[in-house]
């Protein structure tokens, strides 16, 4: 279900939980996912209509590779296959990131399921987010760049 992209609140100093600076879409978990995980389209679904409906943990080290990142799971907790989840597809949120993440780090699909890596010039994956802070136990506030 699509959400509005109109800016509805310009109040400064708000927490990211009430920020109007993000876009959220609803997807169906195609496997186990958790809040703050980077997720990708499950392109290996047999029904073509499900390829843009279901998401799994983003992982460039899986078989098949799940690298078509669409966003970060906003719904807290752990979710099983078939659960409806909210995903931040653009804007600010907290996310699962590599421990080398610093302010301004460009982030891309990582080798650890659900976690973004700090982009390096040798990587083939696109930059999908920019970190707004250094990580704290592999979690950081990021700005998701719209991919979907």
């Amino acid at each position: 279900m699509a959400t509005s992209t109109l800016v509805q609140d310009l109040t400064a100093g708000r927490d990211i939980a009430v920020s109007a600076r993000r876009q959220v879409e609803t997807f169906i978990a195609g496997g186990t996912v958790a809040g703050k995980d980077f997720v990708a389209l499950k392109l290996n679904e047999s029904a073509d209509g499900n390829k843009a409906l279901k998401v799994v943990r983003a992982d460039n080290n899986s078989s098949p590779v799940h690298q078509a990142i669409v966003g970060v799971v906003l719904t807290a907790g752990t979710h099983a296959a078939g659960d409806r989840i909210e995903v931040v597809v653009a804007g600010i949120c907290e996310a699962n990131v590599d421990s080398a993440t610093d302010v301004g780090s460009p982030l891309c699909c990582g080798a650890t399921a659900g976690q973004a890596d700090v982009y390096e010039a040798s990587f083939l994956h696109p930059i999908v987010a920019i970190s707004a802070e250094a990580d704290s136990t592999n979690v950081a506030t990021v700005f998701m760049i719209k991919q979907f």
Side-chain angles (χ1 to χ4, degrees):
M1 173 178 251
T3 57
S4 173
T5 58
L6 299 174
V7 175
Q8 299 173 12
D9 187 349
L10 293 175
T11 307
R14 304 284 300 266
D15 184 84
I16 65 171
V18 293
S19 173
R21 297 296 183 174
R22 67 176 168 205
Q23 184 179 359
V24 177
E25 299 285 348
T26 302
F27 289 91
I28 295 175
T32 302
V33 298
K36 300 181 180 142
D37 277 348
F38 277 86
V39 290
L41 296 173
K42 189 175 181 194
L43 297 176
N44 63 328
E45 279 288 311
S46 56
D48 287 343
N50 289 344
K51 294 178 192 292
L53 177 65
K54 295 184 179 180
V55 293
V56 293
R57 288 179 172 171
D59 187 353
N60 70 18
N61 202 28
S62 62
S63 181
V65 173
H66 297 295
Q67 62 189 13
I69 292 179
V70 292
V72 175
V73 178
L74 180 62
T75 311
T78 302
H79 311 283
D83 289 354
R84 290 179 183 255
I85 55 172
E86 290 187 328
V87 175
V88 176
V89 297
I92 198 160
C93 62
E94 286 193 329
N96 181 0
V97 297
D98 182 83
S99 61
T101 302
D102 204 353
V103 176
S105 293
L107 302 169
C108 65
C109 188
T112 300
Q115 188 176 88
D117 281 347
V118 175
Y119 180 82
E120 295 178 16
S122 63
F123 288 0
L124 300 175
H125 308 295
I127 296 169
V128 296
I130 306 294
S131 180
E133 65 183 2
D135 77 284
S136 174
T137 319
N138 294 99
V139 174
T141 299
V142 303
F143 192 89
M144 185 67 202
I145 301 167
K146 189 166 183 165
Q147 307 290 312
F148 177 81

